Amino acid sequence: MRKEYDFSKMKGWKNPYAKKLKKQVTIRIGLDVINYFKQMAEETGIPYQNLINLYLRECTMSRRKLTMKWA
């Protein structure tokens, strides 16, 4: 490989598959939940929205069911 490649004139392009990977949605999440994931984000260095996505993906992969107990 040549050492003197000039990438300054190279134009980038968008990933054509990016829209198929994620979809933007509006969702109401409690402040306590957001604060929890923001704290985890500071500890791990991963953005909190990515952490929420990773957790939800883990739930879907393991087919975790929600258990609700009403008082």
Side-chain angles (χ1 to χ4, degrees):
M1 261 172 100
R2 293 193 325 193
K3 294 182 181 179
E4 59 275 348
Y5 284 111
D6 183 16
F7 294 107
S8 63
K9 297 178 184 177
M10 186 174 166
K11 293 183 180 180
W13 61 86
K14 293 184 178 181
N15 182 347
Y17 303 105
K19 289 183 179 180
K20 295 179 182 180
L21 297 176
K22 291 186 179 180
K23 179 177 175 82
Q24 183 175 351
V25 296
T26 302
I27 185 171
R28 294 185 182 269
I29 300 176
L31 290 176
D32 56 337
V33 175
I34 293 172
N35 290 333
Y36 174 77
F37 279 100
K38 282 186 176 183
Q39 182 182 0
M40 286 182 58
E42 288 179 11
E43 294 172 6
T44 61
I46 301 171
Y48 78 97
Q49 291 177 333
N50 289 9
L51 288 174
I52 293 171
N53 188 53
L54 288 169
Y55 179 75
L56 292 174
R57 179 176 289 129
E58 182 182 317
C59 290
T60 59
M61 297 299 287
S62 65
R63 302 212 181 263
R64 187 173 300 151
K65 301 292 182 188
L66 179 65
T67 56
M68 298 182 63
K69 296 180 182 179
W70 300 95

